[in-house]
Amino acid sequence: MDLLKKRIVEDGTVLPGNVLKVDNFLNHQVDTKLMDEIGKEFAKLFEGEKITKVVTVESSGIAPALMTALHLGVPLIFARKHKSLTLTDNLYTATVYSYTKRVSNDISVDKRFLNSEDRILIIDDFLANGQAVQGLLEIAKVANVQVAGIGIVIEKSFQKGRSMIEKTGVRLESLARIASLENQKVTFVE
Ligand code: G4P
Ligand code: NA
Ligand code: NA
C-alpha cells in the first residue's frame, strides 16, 4: 500500500533494537483518514471471505481493526489484556509473551462474543514475532471459530511472525512489509 509506505518513510523513525516508531499516525496520535484507507484496503482484500467479525488485541490494533470492521459491515472485538487472570469461566484466554517488552500478558475475549458460526478476520498494527496473533489463533481454536485471514498494517519481515503464520496455512496480508531497519533506514520487501 503505497500511501502507507510513503507515510512510514516520511514520519517513521527507527529506534535502536530494530523498532520502528510510528506514534504520530498509528500508535499514539492516529491519522483517521489513513486508518480509513487502511480499513478500505483490508475490506477489499478480504471481501469474498464471508467474515462475520474482526478481532484484534487492545490497544494499538483497535484503530485499523475498527476501520476494517466498519468497511466490512461487521462488529469489532478487541481482546483485552490483563497481567494474569483468575476468574476465567466466561472467557476465552491465551497467554501472550512479548519478546520486546519481556512480559507475559493474558488476553481474553468474553465467550458471548464468539461462537461456532463465526468466521473471523484478525487485524493487528504490527507483526513482529507473532505472539499476539498466535494468542488470537489459540482463542479462535478453543472457541471453534474459523479464521478467514490475518491482516497486518506493518510487517517486520525479518522477524519470526510471518513464518509462524505460514506454517498454520492461514491467509496473511500485510500492507507494508519491512525487510530491514538496519542503519536507521527503512527498506521494504520488493
Ligand atoms: P508480536 O506480537 O509480533 O510477537 O510482537 P512483540 O511481542 O515482538 O512486540 C511487543 C509489542 O511491540 C506489540 O505491541 C507489538 O505490536 C509491538 N511492536 C513490535 N515491533 C514493533 C515496532 O517495530 N514498532 C512498534 N511501534 N511496535 C512494535 P503490544 O505491546 O502487544 O501492543 P500495544 O499495547 O502497543 O497495543
Ligand atoms: Na503496539
Ligand atoms: Na498490536
Side-chain angles (χ1 to χ4, degrees), residues 60-115:
S60 303
I62 294 176
L66 175 68
M67 298 317 283
T68 305
L70 178 67
H71 285 287
L72 285 169
V74 300
L76 161 70
I77 299 168
F78 59 90
R80 292 181 154 176
K81 270 184 204 159
H82 316 256
K83 275 271 164 288
S84 82
L85 288 165
T86 43
L87 292 167
T88 58
D89 284 0
N90 58 336
L91 303 174
Y92 295 118
T93 67
T95 301
V96 173
Y97 178 72
S98 166
Y99 290 97
T100 316
K101 298 179 180 171
R102 294 203 185 85
V103 291
S104 278
N105 276 302
D106 285 357
I107 61 169
S108 70
V109 174
D110 194 298
K111 287 182 179 171
R112 286 179 298 148
F113 301 132
L114 286 176
N115 64 65

Side-chain angles (χ1 to χ4, degrees), residues 13 15 17-23 26-27 57-62 81 96-103 105 107 124-134 152 154 156 158-161 164 178 181:
T13 50
L15 302 181
N18 284 328
V19 169
L20 176 67
K21 189 169 176 173
V22 286
D23 66 350
L26 182 58
N27 289 146
V57 182
E58 67 175 351
S59 55
S60 303
I62 294 176
K81 270 184 204 159
V96 173
Y97 178 72
S98 166
Y99 290 97
T100 316
K101 298 179 180 171
R102 294 203 185 85
V103 291
N105 276 302
I107 61 169
D124 212 352
D125 57 337
F126 270 91
L127 177 64
N129 292 299
Q131 296 300 299
V133 167
Q134 199 162 44
I152 298 293
I154 302 175
K156 292 158 81 182
F158 54 89
Q159 291 189 239
K160 286 178 291 198
M164 184 279 292
I178 293 176
L181 293 172

